[in-house]
């Protein structure tokens, strides 16, 4: 009888434990889902994507009844996103209006400050790992040319990155307050970048539909970006002269997909209105626009600030 009673007690304990285990898994899953949606720890995009795969695997394992492996899969998310199982901050993700207000506040603050070009150079030494010492980016389109870009345009883009109003897995970590400092740092590095000389040896498109490209540019782009792609500092219109063709194509595609939250309504509408052929033609034409002589880098120019 004692043996039989022990078996009954054990069975009862198992029956009681199963709902508790299920509740633990669901609670952990809820925490992971919240983190994937709101990213309270500001994890990198790669970490979020890896966590999502592990999260989906955990759900499948749990449905199969393998609670232990399911929770082990979820543990990857807690580790990679730096989450605590004891507490996850339950705050709603900021609204679009809140992101805009946050970016605008820092933009206005940075504009009110007197830039320190020497400090701007010190900050830019970190930026040069991707943007190159000369600020010319890469013809592959992975990094834009930022040399000679209008100061206000640079400040706006940095403020947007820092406020969460524009995404970039590579850019955001380098632009944070923790990485470069506050609004003064934004003012400083923007001033330095705006003084760099522009390379006209940028990445171009195929060049097989430039007549259409010019027609579309004059129809849709000239009013904001200028007849020669010079943009406007006061109007926050980027200089697109000698910008890499593949970079502009990538940005246009992100506009279509809604991945450039800080873009103007005009740019978003334009990206949606052009077909693939028209998009490639107008951006090919734009990539061939060149700055005035005084802004161009001489042949074989190297940034003297990086010479040892």
């Amino acid at each position: 009888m004692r043996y039989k009673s022990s078996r009954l007690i054990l069975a009862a304990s198992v029956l009681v434990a199963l709902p508790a285990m299920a509740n633990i898994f669901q609670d952990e899953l809820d925490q992971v889902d919240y983190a994937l949606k709101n990213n309270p720890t500001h994890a990198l995009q790669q970490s979020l994507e890896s966590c999502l795969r592990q999260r989906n695997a955990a759900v499948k394992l749990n449905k199969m009844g393998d609670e232990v492996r399911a929770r082990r899969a979820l543990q990857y998310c807690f580790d990679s996103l730096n989450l605590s199982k004891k507490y996850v901050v339950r705050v709603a993700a900021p609204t679009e209006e809140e992101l805009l207000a946050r970016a605008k506040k820092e933009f206005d603050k940075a504009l009110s400050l007197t830039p320190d070009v020497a400090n701007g150079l010190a900050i830019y030494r970190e930026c040069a790992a991707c943007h190159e010492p000369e600020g010319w980016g890469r013809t592959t389109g992975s990094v834009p040319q930022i040399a000679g870009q209008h100061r206000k345009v640079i400040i706006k883009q940095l403020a947007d990155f820092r406020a969460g109003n524009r995404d970039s897995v590579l850019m955001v970590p380098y632009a944070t307050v923790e990485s470069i400092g506050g609004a003064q740092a934004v003012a400083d590095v923007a001033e330095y970048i705006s003084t760099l000389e522009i390379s006209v040896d940028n990445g171009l498109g195929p060049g097989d539909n430039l007549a259409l490209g010019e027609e579309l540019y004059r129809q849709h782009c000239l009013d904001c970006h200028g007849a020669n792609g010079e943009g406007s500092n006061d109007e926050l219109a980027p200089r697109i002269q000698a910008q890499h063709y593949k970079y502009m194509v990538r940005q246009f595609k992100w506009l279509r997909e809604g991945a450039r939250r800080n873009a103007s309504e005009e740019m978003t509408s334009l990206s949606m209105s052009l077909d693939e052929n028209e998009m490639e033609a107008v951006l090919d034409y734009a990539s061939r626009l060149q700055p005035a002589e005084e802004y161009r880098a001489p042949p074989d120019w190297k940034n003297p600030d990086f010479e040892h």
Side-chain angles (χ1 to χ4, degrees):
M1 287 293 294
R2 184 176 302 169
Y3 176 75
K4 184 176 181 180
S5 298
S6 298
R7 290 186 63 186
L8 288 173
I9 292 171
L10 177 61
S13 68
V14 171
L15 290 172
V16 171
L18 282 175
M21 287 288 286
N23 289 338
I24 291 173
F25 175 80
Q26 187 59 53
D27 182 64
E28 292 178 354
L29 181 64
D30 289 344
Q31 292 186 50
V32 167
D33 285 345
Y34 172 84
L36 286 171
K37 180 179 180 181
N38 298 285
N39 196 11
T41 59
H42 307 290
L44 295 178
Q45 187 66 29
Q46 299 102 313
S47 298
L48 293 170
E49 292 172 356
S50 298
C51 169
L52 178 59
R53 289 193 290 271
Q54 290 294 318
R55 180 262 183 210
N56 292 338
V59 170
K60 292 180 181 178
L61 288 168
N62 187 58
K63 287 182 178 179
M64 295 167 57
D66 196 337
E67 176 80 17
V68 174
R69 290 179 63 200
R71 291 188 62 197
R72 190 183 303 151
L74 281 185
Q75 184 63 45
Y76 174 88
C77 291
F78 282 91
D79 294 339
S80 62
L81 304 186
N82 196 28
L83 303 176
S84 168
K85 289 190 177 181
K86 295 180 179 179
Y87 179 69
V88 173
V89 180
R90 300 288 177 170
V91 293
T95 65
E96 183 177 343
E97 290 74 19
E98 289 171 334
L99 293 177
L100 287 170
R102 191 182 301 170
K104 177 76 163 54
K105 182 179 179 180
E106 183 164 55
F107 174 79
D108 291 340
K109 177 66 174 176
L111 283 184
S112 72
L113 300 170
T114 301
D116 180 345
V117 179
N119 187 49
L121 167 59
I123 295 170
Y124 185 73
R125 290 189 185 281
E126 295 295 322
C127 310
C130 291
H131 288 284
E132 308 294 341
E134 292 71 35
W136 295 345
R138 298 172 186 171
T139 59
T140 60
S142 59
V143 182
Q145 169 157 224
I146 58 175
Q149 186 57 264
H150 298 298
R151 177 171 176 263
K152 289 185 180 180
V153 170
I154 299 169
I155 290 175
K156 181 183 185 303
Q157 296 307 311
L158 283 174
D160 283 339
F161 280 126
R162 288 154 65 94
N165 195 40
R166 181 179 175 184
D167 296 324
S168 172
V169 172
L170 295 176
M171 184 67 193
V172 169
Y174 287 95
T176 62
V177 174
E178 294 78 10
S179 179
I180 68 172
Q184 182 68 60
V186 172
D188 296 347
V189 74
E191 179 70 16
Y192 178 77
I193 292 169
S194 69
T195 68
L196 293 174
E197 300 185 58
I198 304 169
S199 169
V200 294
D201 189 23
N202 59 300
L204 305 176
D208 52 10
N209 212 352
L210 296 179
L212 174 61
E214 180 177 6
E215 178 184 345
L216 291 168
Y217 184 89
R218 296 190 177 282
Q219 181 180 351
H220 298 290
C221 312
L222 186 147
D223 287 345
C224 290
H225 290 286
N228 200 41
E230 65 274 14
S232 169
N233 186 53
D234 290 336
E235 298 299 324
L236 300 180
R239 183 191 301 278
I240 57 175
Q241 294 165 329
Q243 186 56 267
H244 303 302
Y245 167 74
K246 290 183 179 179
Y247 173 77
M248 291 192 286
V249 169
R250 183 157 59 93
Q251 295 304 306
F252 244 68
K253 290 182 177 179
W254 283 0
L255 282 168
R256 290 177 174 179
E257 297 166 2
R260 271 291 302 265
R261 289 193 303 274
N262 73 332
S264 66
E265 292 183 5
E266 293 82 1
M267 281 300 301
T268 302
S269 297
L270 176 61
S271 70
M272 300 293 290
S273 68
L274 300 180
D275 62 30
E276 197 78 7
N277 182 57
E278 291 172 327
M279 176 194 73
E280 292 176 356
V282 71
L283 296 180
D284 191 355
Y285 174 80
S287 72
R288 296 165 191 273
L289 298 174
Q290 296 192 352
E293 192 67 36
E294 60 266 29
Y295 297 112
R296 299 187 196 182
D300 302 319
W301 185 78
K302 296 296 180 182
N303 189 344
D305 293 330
F306 283 74
E307 294 180 357
H308 298 288

